[in-house]
Amino acid sequence: MKNRLKKVIWWCLGLAVALCLLVECLPHPKTPSRLAQLPLKGFGYASRDLPLEGAEAAVFQRAVVLKRLYQAGPDRFVLLAVDGEGDRHAIHDPLYCFRGAGWKLSQESYINLPGGRGRIVQLVRGKESAEAMYWITDGQTRHASPLSAWWQSTLRRLPGQHSGGAPVLVVVQPVTGGTLNWQDLLTRVPDLLTL
């Protein structure tokens, strides 16, 4: 009886691995990136595209990335948006990059967004301070969980489950390193929530 149970367990494990490999290899429909639809300007704001820095270009070489400098009233901020359609691994927790650049998390909070919430982090590096807001979205839901993004991306690959867009990581940072009124900013630049 014991040998039979072991065989059944190994058989189930092998079947699960084969199914995972099959799902990974299944083609899924390519959709145009939502990043291309984000306008450069709107009522009360304007932006311009920025080139990726060397490290950013290396990390995101297979992903579609949009980096822009925005001016919205007196506020200037940089948007970095990463579409995970071409590279699911490009969607990650931005804290890894902040920590890699020497920043430490000093405080965090969450902000309510349509379809979920985003994360606001205050960072310190020596005597410098910075703040950032980020979220991951499939076009319908918003959250700050890379694990949830991985799960959404995996479910999209199952046959008949191609609803929702590919996860997009959205990171917004003030240019001067200060802080912004995030709720006000999202009201003045509502196009950020169309990603």
Side-chain angles (χ1 to χ4, degrees), residues 124-175:
V124 294
R125 181 173 62 188
K127 294 185 181 195
E128 294 178 278
S129 64
E131 187 173 69
M133 174 178 59
Y134 65 90
W135 67 88
I136 300 168
T137 178
D138 64 358
Q140 299 167 0
T141 62
R142 288 167 184 80
H143 54 81
S145 169
L147 182 61
S148 293
W150 174 83
W151 186 244
Q152 286 172 320
S153 183
T154 299
L155 289 178
R156 284 186 78 240
R157 295 174 108 68
L158 293 175
Q161 299 297 318
H162 300 295
S163 62
V168 170
L169 170 64
V170 180
V171 182
V172 181
Q173 289 182 270
V175 170

Side-chain angles (χ1 to χ4, degrees), residues 115-129:
R117 65 184 190 161
R119 187 176 185 190
I120 299 170
V121 292
Q122 281 89 33
L123 307 161
V124 294
R125 181 173 62 188
K127 294 185 181 195
E128 294 178 278
S129 64

Side-chain angles (χ1 to χ4, degrees), residues 55-113:
E56 293 169 332
V59 168
F60 300 125
Q61 57 186 288
R62 292 188 333 219
V64 176
V65 180
L66 177 68
K67 185 175 182 182
R68 285 191 180 162
L69 173 65
Y70 278 80
Q71 179 79 45
D75 296 325
R76 294 181 65 198
F77 64 93
V78 173
L79 164 74
L80 180 71
V82 182
D83 187 332
E85 177 78 30
D87 183 4
R88 293 187 301 154
H89 305 293
I91 305 298
H92 63 281
D93 190 338
L95 284 178
Y96 294 131
C97 293
F98 293 137
R99 287 183 181 127
W103 294 97
K104 293 181 181 176
L105 179 65
S106 66
Q107 285 186 339
E108 67 179 322
S109 60
Y110 291 89
I111 183 169
N112 290 328
L113 302 172

